[in-house]
Structures are given as C-alpha cells and as structure tokens.
Amino acid sequence: MSFWEVILQQIINGLILGSFYALIALGYSMVYGIIKLLNFAHGDIYMTGAFACLSVFGVLSGLIPGWPGIILSIVAAMIFSGCIGYLAQRFAYRPLLGAPRLSLLITAIGVSLIIYNSVMVVTNSQPLFFTSGIDNAAGIQIGNITITYIQIILISVSALLMIGLTLFIGRTMTGKAMRAISLDKETCKLMGINVNKIIGLTFIIGSALAAIAGGLACVYYGNVQYNMGYTIGIKAFTAAVIGGIGSIPGAMLGGLLLGLLEAIGTQFLGSSWKDVFAFGLLILILILRPNGLLGKSEIERM
C-alpha cells in the first residue's frame, strides 16, 4: 500500500474508534452539563449494554438472524442500560444533588465498582464471543483499501445519532429545558420545570447512547468482557474534556479527534504509544485551552 492509502485506511479506523469515543463522551457531557457530575460509571454502563446486546442476540439469533436481530438486540440493550442509568441517578445521585461535588464524585466511583464487580461475578471473569452471522470482510474495494459495509454502517449510525441528539437538544422543548437547568436549576423549578424528571431523562439518553456503542462494539470486535468499559470510559472522558466538558458538539469533536490521532499515531509509532497520544493531547489542550476546544468559561456566583 502506498503512503496515502495507509493514511486513508487509518483515517477510516480512526473514525470508527472515534465514533465509539464520541457516543460515550456524549453521555459524560450531558450529565456534567446539567448537574456538574463526572459520572465515572458511564464506561461500565457501556459494558453492560454490550453484554445485554450479546445476551439478547443469543436468544434471537435462531429466530431473527442477521441485522434485524442485531437491531432488536441493540434496542433491548438501550432499554436495559437506560434503566441502569436511571436507577443509578434516582437512588445514588439524586439524594446527593445538594451535597458537595466530591460526594457525588465518590458515589459515582462506587456505582462504577458495583456494576464492574457484579458483571465480573456473573461472567466468571471470562470473555464472551459474539457471532453475528454477517460477513465482516465484505465491503467496497478502493485500490488496496477495503471499506467494509460494517464500517460504513457504524460511521453512518454514529453520525445520525450525533446529529439527532444535537437537534433534540437545540430544537425540542425538553432539550431547551435541559439547557435551562444547566444554567440555573432553582429558577427552572420556580418556572414549573420538573427538574428531577429532566435529569432522569438525561441519564436515560446518555446511557442509551452508551448501550448503542456497546452493541456496535459487539458487532465490530466480536467479543465482550467485563473490563472493556474501564479503558474506553477513561478515553471517552478524555475526549469530552478535550472537546469541552458539557458541550455536545465538543464531545463529538473530541471523540473523533482522539480516535484519528490514536489510529494515525499507532500506524507510525506503534500501538504501545496509543495511550501516550491520548493523554498527551489532553495535557496539551488543557494547557492551551483549559475549557477544551469548544468549551466556554463559566462564572460561578458565590
């Protein structure tokens, strides 16, 4: 392969990886934007979504094979992970909304450990394999480069979800309520907005997006394991910070930028440098732009 073909192949790989980061980073940004919580359990919700998708598809594969079964499995995973996200918000986070942020942060770490260890016990620490029955190698040939149909579907689905979420936040009354709550919860209560309901819906949407990423990861990588949420959760959080934590477009930009940098950097310097790229970029951006690429400065009234 020529130099430019290698670059193009790595751009495709980076867009795939960046799409996973972006979908999970959206959940981080949505939750932080509304209640200023760094929900470190979000990566584990991505992991539970992957396991839920695999489990449901294992039941459906004999009845509804191929993409119809995969789509139904991902929808079931969205419902399952959405419920987990809502329950975590309702019973772990909501009682502490008036507490110092450190209390919320420690609680989020506790929720993460509960989910992580529960899945580890249930799966007996063993990876599970996803057999979709789809030809992963089929695709479009451009010179020496093959763009598989699965890659096209993954990038297209991720792009549509990001555009849809942007329109939802910007155009709907619920989205406007979310933005209003992020500015002033107390005033929103006085205006008749059900703040707790909107916060719960935010967790459900963020968790459902993470579940979609988990289901797509099942199809693309072919296996799931109990610790798959830790690393990608940290990377997605890094992407959210790079783009500007609390900014929906920033989460998308940060995820895609991080995925592209890792893919291209790995090609030329090796996979052992992948994490160096990610966190080196984070440090550089925090030095140059402490609020992230698309983040805005906030003034807190004491």
Side-chain angles (χ1 to χ4, degrees), residues 124-203:
N124 198 26
S125 303
Q126 298 299 314
L128 300 179
F129 297 93
F130 185 89
T131 304
S132 64
I134 296 172
D135 184 5
N136 288 12
I140 301 172
Q141 192 75 27
I142 304 176
N144 294 319
I145 299 171
T146 300
I147 304 174
T148 66
Y149 293 127
I150 288 182
Q151 289 176 327
I152 295 172
I153 290 171
L154 294 185
I155 293 174
S156 300
V157 168
S158 298
L160 289 174
L161 286 170
M162 295 175 198
I163 293 171
L165 181 62
T166 301
L167 294 176
F168 174 79
I169 297 293
R171 302 285 181 86
T172 67
M173 291 301 296
T174 302
K176 292 177 181 178
M178 290 178 177
R179 288 187 285 134
I181 291 171
S182 70
L183 296 174
D184 193 331
K185 288 193 289 291
E186 297 304 319
T187 300
C188 288
K189 290 179 181 178
L190 295 175
M191 297 297 291
I193 297 175
N194 190 332
V195 172
N196 288 333
K197 179 181 177 180
I198 297 297
I199 291 174
L201 181 61
T202 301
F203 272 85

Side-chain angles (χ1 to χ4, degrees), residues 23-43:
L23 286 176
I24 303 171
L26 286 171
Y28 275 115
S29 282
M30 288 180 69
V31 171
Y32 184 85
I34 288 186
I35 61 174
K36 300 298 183 284
L37 165 66
L38 298 176
N39 184 19
F40 285 119
H42 199 60

Side-chain angles (χ1 to χ4, degrees), residues 45 48 80 88 158 165 236 260 293:
I45 290 176
T48 60
F80 180 75
S158 298
L165 181 62
L260 288 169
L293 294 176

Side-chain angles (χ1 to χ4, degrees), residues 213-288:
L216 295 176
C218 279
V219 179
Y220 190 67
Y221 295 113
N223 66 85
V224 295
Q225 47 193 344
Y226 73 95
N227 59 356
M228 66 185 290
Y230 175 76
T231 301
I232 198 167
I234 294 295
K235 293 289 185 65
F237 171 67
T238 302
V241 174
I242 288 172
I245 191 75
S247 167
I248 299 300
M252 303 177 199
L253 176 63
L256 295 175
L257 181 61
L258 185 60
L260 288 169
L261 182 67
E262 284 192 9
I264 294 175
T266 299
Q267 172 66 36
F268 294 104
L269 297 178
S271 59
S272 59
W273 287 87
K274 182 170 64 173
D275 292 342
V276 176
F277 300 141
F279 298 108
L281 177 63
L282 173 64
I283 293 171
L284 180 62
I285 288 180
L286 287 178
I287 291 172
L288 299 176

Side-chain angles (χ1 to χ4, degrees), residues 2-20:
S2 69
F3 173 80
W4 293 112
E5 287 176 329
V6 170
I7 292 294
L8 180 58
Q9 184 67 67
Q10 292 309 316
I11 288 174
I12 295 168
N13 295 339
L15 288 174
I16 292 290
L17 185 59
S19 296
F20 289 131

